Amino acid sequence: MNIEVDCSPEEMRRFMGLPDVSDVNKTYVDGVVNAMKGTSNVDQLQTMAKNIAPMGEMGLRFFQQIMEAAAAGASGKPKSGG
């Protein structure tokens, strides 16, 4: 059995009773953009990203693994041992 619901992300968020975090997200993204404006090389950018990312370096590694797995899945390549 399949059930399809045609609604916007906002409608689904409200239906599920989840909080509206759009203001928090905007503040976080604005902070990242402002911090990036002061970086002049890749090393500075990487250090800054590690410091502001949720869960620090561990969070960045986890995100990288997710993106690599998604890219491998999209290309049809099996994921190499990890």
Side-chain angles (χ1 to χ4, degrees):
M1 175 186 336
N2 290 332
I3 299 174
E4 293 186 29
V5 178
D6 186 18
C7 66
S8 70
E10 174 65 16
E11 290 169 331
M12 182 56 75
R13 181 194 63 74
R14 287 182 183 185
F15 175 76
M16 298 291 291
L18 299 173
D20 182 3
V21 294
S22 57
D23 289 340
V24 174
N25 185 59
K26 182 177 178 344
T27 300
Y28 181 78
V29 170
D30 288 346
V32 171
V33 169
N34 288 335
M36 289 176 67
K37 288 179 184 176
T39 60
S40 59
N41 64 46
V42 175
D43 291 332
Q44 282 182 329
L45 182 59
Q46 186 174 13
T47 300
M48 185 267 315
K50 286 179 185 177
N51 290 333
I52 63 172
M55 297 173 35
E57 189 171 347
M58 186 173 74
L60 287 176
R61 284 187 193 147
F62 180 68
F63 180 73
Q64 182 179 16
Q65 289 172 350
I66 291 171
M67 297 309 292
E68 288 172 354
S75 67
K77 296 178 183 175
K79 183 181 176 201
S80 61

